[in-house]
Amino acid sequence: MPDSIKNRFKGMPLLRFILLLSVGYLAISLIVILLISANIKQKAIEDLSREDARQTAELIFQSLYSVMSDGWNKKEILATIDRLNKAAPRMEIMAYRGSPVIQEFGDIPGEAAIRESDPLIQQALDSGKEILRASESDIRFIYPVVVSKECTRCHEEARPGDVNGVIDIRYPIENLKVSLSLIINIMLGYFILIMALLFAGLFFKLRTFVVKPIIGLATVMGEITNNADLSKRVKHGGWIREVHYLTDYFNRMLVTLQDFQYRLEELSVRDPLTGLYNRRRFEQFLEYEVDRATRHNRSFCLIMIDLDNFKHINDTYGHQIGDMALQKLALLLREQTRRTDVTARIGGDEFAIIIPEADFESGLSSAEKLRHILANSALELPDCKIRISGSFGVVSYPRNGDGVENLNIAMDVAMYKAKHSGKNCVAILGDDESGAEMEIFKKGEFLRLALEENRVAAFLQPIVRIPGGLYAYEVLARIEDDGQYIAANEFIHAAEELGLMVELDTDVFKKGIEYLADHPLEETKLFFNLGSRTLANEETIREMVGFATEMRIQLNRIVFEITEREALPRISELSHLIDELHGLGIEFALDDFGSGFSSFLYLKYLAVDYVKIEGSFVRQIAVDRRDRIMVEHIASIANQFGIKTIAEMVEDEETNLLLQTYGINYAQGYYYGHPSPSSGSRQSSDSRKQEAVE
C-alpha cells in the first residue's frame, strides 16, 4: 500500500484488529474455562469424598455394631477403634456417644469436653444428618448413628430416629485430589489446544480470504489515485462471496470510468459534430510543431479556411442541413490531407490545417488544391446538393511568425485579406504589407481578451452647462491593463476593422446604465458613442433599450452619438431609427460636427438634438479668428434649427469665457474634468459636480 495512504489513515490495520480480537477472545475464554474448571474440580472432590467417606463410615459402624451386639463393653469398643486407627494409619476414626447411650451406659471420660467444643459434632448429634467438610489437605466426615428398631433391643430407652452417637472420620485427600486434578487438567489442556487451533485457523482464514483481498483493493485504489491509471485491476477475492462481489464490482466500475475517461478525452480534444480536432487541441499541436521545427531547423505551413456565406445555408436549409454539410466537408478534408497533417475545426465555419515539414510553396499548393476541390464539389445531402466555397489563408513558419501568437495573428491577417479580396481565393502575407495588418490584429486580440475577462471600463467625462453647472457625462471606453487604463484611440480602429465594435459598444453601454442605476438621485444624462455597425444592427439597439428599461432607467437620460462619416453612407436608415427612438425618449447627438464638407446637410435630414462642435475649432478660438467665426457660425445655425450645441476640447478659462458670448449651450474638456472610472476609484458625484461648476 502506498505510504501516502498509510500516512493519511492512522486507524488500525484489519489484520492487526483481527489478531488482537482473536487473542482477546482466547484470553477471555481461558479465564472463564479456568474459573469453571476450578469450581467443577472442587465440586467433584466434595462429591467423591462424600461417597468415599460414607462407605468408610458404614464399614466402621458395622464393625462397631457387631462388637456392641455381642455385649462388649465400652473398653472393648475403644480398643476396637484403636485397632482400626492402627490398621489405617493415615485415617483417624473417633466415636462419640449421644444422649440415649449416655443416659443408659454413662459417658466416656473426656468426650464431653470434645463434643461441646466441636460445633460439627453437636450439629450432627442434634440434626441426625451427616456432615462433610473438605479442606485443602483432608476430608472430615461425621456420620450420625440413628436408632433403628433393631437397636431398641439393647437400648430400651431409645426411640427410632434418635441419635445414639456419631462416627468422626478424618483422612487425607492427596491421592483423590491428584488423580482428579490430573484428569481435569488433561481435559483442560486438550480444550485449550483445540481453542487455540480454532482461533489460529480463523485468523489465517480471515487473513487469506478477507484481509489480503482488501489490502489488494486498497493498493490498487492508491495506485489509481496517485498515478491516474485506470488500467489497473484487482484480483478476485477468492471464496468469500461478498469480497468477490466487491472486487468484481470495483473492476467493473474501473471499466466504466475508463470508458468515461476516454469519452471525456475525446470530447476535450475533438469537435463532437465533425470528429476533427477542436481549437484547444489545435493550439497544443501548434505549440508542439513550433518546438519541433525550432529544434530541427525546419519549416511547416498553416492553412486557415473560412467558408463563404455559410450563414446563408443555415438560414435557407436549416441548421440540421448546415451541420450535415460541415460533416461532409470534414470528411472531404480528411480525404485530401496526409495522415501526418492536423485538421481542426476552430470555429463555427472555420477550419485550420497544420502541414508539418512543408515549405511555403508546398503549403500554398495544398491550399489552392483544396480551394479548387471545394469550389467544384457538390455536397450530397438529403433532398439537395450544396456547393460551398471557402476563403483560404496560408502562412508558414518561420517566414510569417516565429511563435504561436505571431502565427495565429498572421493566420487572421491572411484570412482577413482573403475575405476582402472577393472570397473563394487563397491569400498570403507579403513582406511589405504584413506589419501594419498584424498590428491591427494584435490590438484586436488584446481587445477580444479584455472583453472576455471583463477588463473594459466605462469612463465618464463631464458635460457642463454654459455658464456653469453639471449637465451630463460622455461615456468613454477604456481597457484596464496591469493597473493602468488604455485610451480608446489605441484599439478603436482595430475594433472597427475586425468587427468588434458591436460587442464593445454593448459592453460600455451596459456599464454606463449600471452607473445610472447605482446613482438614482443624479439627474444627469449619459452620452454614448455608437459605431456604424452597432447603429446598423437593429437587434442590438433594441437589446440596449430593453436593458435600460429592465434597469428602470428613464430613456430620456440616454443620448446616442453618431459621427458624420458614419451617418453619410446610411442617412436614410438613420433617419428612420432616430425617429423611432425619439418616440421612446432617446436623444441623438451629431459628433465631430464641422469636420466634413457636408456637415450642415445632416441638419436638414437628421432630426438630432445636439451637435458637438469639432474640438479642433474650439481649442484655438482664443488665438485664431477663423476658428471663432466657425464656432459662432455653427452655434447660430444650430440655435435657429432648435438644436443644442456642445463645444468639445475646452481646456482653459479664456476659452470658457468666450463660449459664453457665442450662445453655446454646453461644453466639455479637461477644463471641466478629466475622464474617470464610472465605479471604484472614480470621484464622488458631488465632488465632480463642484469641479465642473468651478
Side-chain angles (χ1 to χ4, degrees):
M1 188 181 300
D3 294 336
S4 59
I5 300 296
K6 291 182 179 179
N7 295 332
R8 185 180 302 173
F9 301 104
K10 300 296 185 180
M12 183 181 296
L14 179 60
L15 187 62
R16 185 182 300 173
F17 173 76
I18 293 174
L19 177 61
L20 294 177
L21 188 65
S22 302
V23 172
Y25 275 120
L26 180 60
I28 293 172
S29 301
L30 291 177
I31 293 172
V32 173
I33 290 170
L34 290 174
L35 292 175
I36 294 174
S37 65
N39 290 331
I40 292 175
K41 184 166 67 173
Q42 185 65 27
K43 185 68 168 58
I45 290 173
E46 290 182 358
D47 291 344
L48 289 175
S49 301
R50 184 185 298 277
E51 188 61 29
D52 187 55
R54 181 181 290 111
Q55 293 176 2
T56 303
E58 284 289 342
L59 290 174
I60 293 171
F61 171 74
Q62 292 300 327
S63 298
L64 295 176
Y65 178 76
S66 63
V67 173
M68 289 185 291
S69 62
D70 291 337
W72 288 16
N73 55 30
K74 59 183 177 182
K75 185 182 293 187
E76 292 173 338
I77 293 173
L78 292 174
T80 301
I81 292 173
D82 185 56
R83 285 197 296 274
L84 288 172
N85 285 325
K86 291 180 179 179
R90 302 189 63 187
M91 183 181 298
E92 181 181 354
I93 302 172
M94 295 295 296
Y96 299 99
R97 294 184 176 189
S99 297
V101 178
I102 293 172
Q103 291 176 2
E104 186 174 355
F105 298 106
D107 200 359
I108 296 176
E111 278 192 9
I114 297 174
R115 287 197 305 271
E116 293 174 359
S117 63
D118 195 331
L120 293 178
I121 294 176
Q122 290 293 329
Q123 181 181 346
L125 289 173
D126 294 338
S127 64
K129 296 180 179 179
E130 59 187 33
I131 298 174
L132 175 68
R133 289 291 184 271
S135 65
E136 293 294 329
S137 58
D138 58 8
I139 294 176
R140 184 181 183 191
F141 183 73
I142 302 176
Y143 179 76
V145 181
V146 181
V147 176
S148 62
K149 288 184 178 181
E150 190 177 357
C151 296
T152 57
R153 291 183 303 171
C154 299
H155 303 282
E156 297 176 356
E157 299 296 329
R159 295 187 300 276
D162 290 342
V163 180
N164 278 345
V166 296
I167 299 174
D168 186 5
I169 304 172
R170 301 172 190 253
Y171 61 90
I173 60 172
E174 283 81 2
N175 295 336
L176 177 64
K177 184 175 181 180
V178 169
S179 60
L180 184 61
S181 297
L182 180 61
I183 295 172
I184 292 177
N185 289 337
I186 291 174
M187 293 177 60
L188 183 62
Y190 279 117
F191 184 77
I192 292 173
L193 178 61
I194 292 171
M195 289 288 292
L197 291 175
L198 287 176
F199 277 112
L202 176 63
F203 173 77
F204 286 107
K205 288 292 184 183
L206 288 173
R207 180 176 179 272
T208 302
F209 296 113
V210 177
V211 177
K212 278 189 174 180
I214 292 177
I215 291 176
L217 179 62
T219 301
V220 173
M221 285 181 175
E223 292 176 355
I224 293 173
T225 302
N226 293 331
N227 304 323
D229 183 7
L230 293 178
S231 64
K232 298 288 184 180
R233 293 295 182 268
V234 182
K235 294 183 179 179
H236 285 288
W239 297 99
I240 305 299
R241 180 182 301 174
E242 288 76 7
V243 177
H244 181 83
Y245 285 164
L246 179 63
T247 56
D248 186 57
Y249 288 147
F250 182 75
N251 286 335
R252 292 185 187 181
M253 182 182 69
L254 289 179
V255 173
T256 304
L257 289 175
Q258 196 171 19
D259 182 56
F260 282 145
Q261 184 188 39
Y262 173 76
R263 294 182 184 180
L264 288 174
E265 287 177 351
E266 283 294 301
L267 289 174
S268 67
V269 301
R270 296 278 183 181
D271 172 50
L273 178 64
T274 62
L276 300 177
Y277 290 115
N278 57 20
R279 188 182 192 96
R280 173 175 171 270
R281 190 61 170 171
F282 176 80
E283 295 288 347
Q284 292 176 348
F285 276 120
L286 183 56
E287 290 180 1
Y288 169 77
E289 194 61 34
V290 168
D291 292 340
R292 192 168 74 96
T294 302
R295 287 196 308 270
H296 300 289
N297 195 24
R298 294 175 180 173
S299 62
F300 67 90
C301 286
L302 291 171
I303 301 175
M304 187 173 180
I305 309 169
D306 192 341
L307 302 182
D308 298 331
N309 303 318
F310 190 76
K311 184 177 183 298
H312 174 72
I313 295 176
N314 281 329
D315 294 341
T316 304
Y317 300 99
H319 288 278
Q320 186 175 3
I321 296 298
D323 290 344
M324 291 182 181
L326 292 175
Q327 291 172 338
K328 291 283 187 179
L329 177 62
L331 183 61
L332 178 64
L333 292 177
R334 282 199 188 97
E335 292 173 350
Q336 298 300 324
T337 54
R338 303 175 301 177
R339 294 185 61 184
T340 55
D341 298 340
V342 176
T343 306
R345 182 188 180 198
I346 60 176
D349 56 357
E350 294 180 349
F351 299 83
I353 304 172
I354 300 175
I355 307 178
E357 300 184 10
D359 56 22
F360 177 75
E361 287 73 19
S362 298
L364 182 59
S365 174
S366 298
E368 189 60 47
K369 173 187 173 184
L370 287 174
R371 187 202 64 78
H372 179 76
I373 293 174
L374 183 60
N376 293 279
S377 298
L379 302 180
E380 296 282 347
L381 298 174
D383 302 328
C384 65
K385 291 183 179 180
I386 295 178
R387 289 187 177 274
I388 300 177
S389 65
S391 300
F392 290 71
V394 180
V395 296
S396 68
Y397 171 90
R399 173 178 174 175
N400 302 120
D402 57 357
V404 173
E405 181 180 0
N406 289 335
L407 286 172
N408 278 325
I409 293 174
M411 285 174 59
D412 290 335
V413 173
M415 182 54 58
Y416 179 78
K417 286 186 62 179
K419 285 293 186 183
H420 285 73
S421 298
K423 303 179 181 180
N424 190 24
C425 64
V426 178
I428 61 174
L429 296 184
D431 296 334
D432 56 342
E433 62 183 357
S434 62
E437 291 176 337
M438 288 187 68
E439 185 65 25
I440 290 176
F441 276 85
K442 284 183 179 179
K443 291 181 178 180
E445 187 65 23
F446 174 72
L447 174 58
R448 186 180 293 109
L449 187 62
L451 287 167
E452 291 176 358
E453 297 175 353
N454 194 29
R455 290 189 290 108
V456 174
F459 271 52
L460 305 181
Q461 185 174 26
I463 299 174
V464 301
R465 294 182 178 89
I466 298 296
L470 180 65
Y471 176 71
Y473 296 113
E474 181 178 359
V475 184
L476 304 172
R478 298 288 188 270
I479 292 179
E480 191 275 326
D481 185 39
D482 292 334
Q484 296 182 346
Y485 289 98
I486 309 300
N489 58 358
E490 294 290 330
F491 55 84
I492 283 294
H493 179 61
E496 292 173 344
E497 288 291 327
L498 302 178
L500 296 174
M501 279 304 301
V502 174
E503 189 175 355
L504 178 63
D505 286 345
T506 302
D507 189 74
V508 174
F509 177 82
K510 289 183 177 180
K511 286 183 169 64
I513 295 300
E514 288 170 355
Y515 166 78
L516 291 181
D518 293 338
H519 299 78
L521 299 180
E522 291 190 9
E523 298 180 357
T524 54
K525 297 177 181 288
L526 289 187
F527 283 64
F528 295 95
N529 292 283
L530 297 184
S532 58
R533 294 191 182 185
T534 306
L535 289 169
N537 193 325
E538 292 187 9
E539 183 180 352
T540 299
I541 297 296
R542 298 186 191 282
E543 287 178 358
M544 289 180 174
V545 174
F547 180 76
T549 304
E550 182 182 343
M551 299 295 288
R552 299 183 179 180
I553 302 301
Q554 295 179 359
L555 298 182
N556 60 6
R557 301 179 65 185
I558 298 173
V559 181
F560 287 147
E561 295 187 20
I562 54 177
T563 61
E564 290 185 6
R565 62 184 178 85
E566 292 167 348
L568 180 60
R570 42 190 313 273
I571 191 168
S572 177
E573 294 87 344
L574 271 178
S575 178
H576 292 296
L577 177 65
I578 290 173
D579 291 341
E580 180 182 349
L581 294 182
H582 267 157
L584 300 175
I586 296 175
E587 297 181 316
F588 281 82
L590 192 58
D591 196 15
D592 297 335
F593 189 82
S595 59
F597 293 106
S598 305
S599 296
F600 291 103
L601 182 64
Y602 298 123
L603 299 183
K604 178 179 178 180
Y605 294 104
L606 297 177
V608 296
D609 304 279
Y610 306 87
V611 291
K612 301 185 74 174
I613 304 173
E614 168 67 31
S616 60
F617 299 139
V618 177
R619 187 187 303 173
Q620 301 293 327
I621 61 174
V623 295
D624 193 321
R625 177 175 173 273
R626 290 171 298 181
D627 287 342
R628 287 198 299 271
I629 294 173
M630 289 290 297
V631 171
E632 287 184 274
H633 190 51
I634 293 172
S636 175
I637 294 178
N639 288 332
Q640 293 182 49
F641 273 89
I643 300 173
K644 295 180 281 291
T645 53
I646 303 173
E648 298 181 306
M649 294 189 183
V650 179
E651 299 180 352
D652 53 56
E653 173 66 18
E654 188 175 1
T655 303
N656 175 56
L657 294 175
L658 286 173
L659 291 177
Q660 297 178 23
T661 65
Y662 298 158
I664 300 296
N665 303 106
Y666 309 101
Q668 72 180 105
Y670 291 162
Y671 174 73
Y672 307 107
H674 290 262
S676 57
S678 61
S679 60
S681 62
R682 191 184 61 83
Q683 301 171 358
S684 67
S685 59
D686 293 338
S687 64
R688 180 150 48 191
K689 288 178 183 178
Q690 182 65 31
E691 179 184 286
V693 171
E694 294 174 353

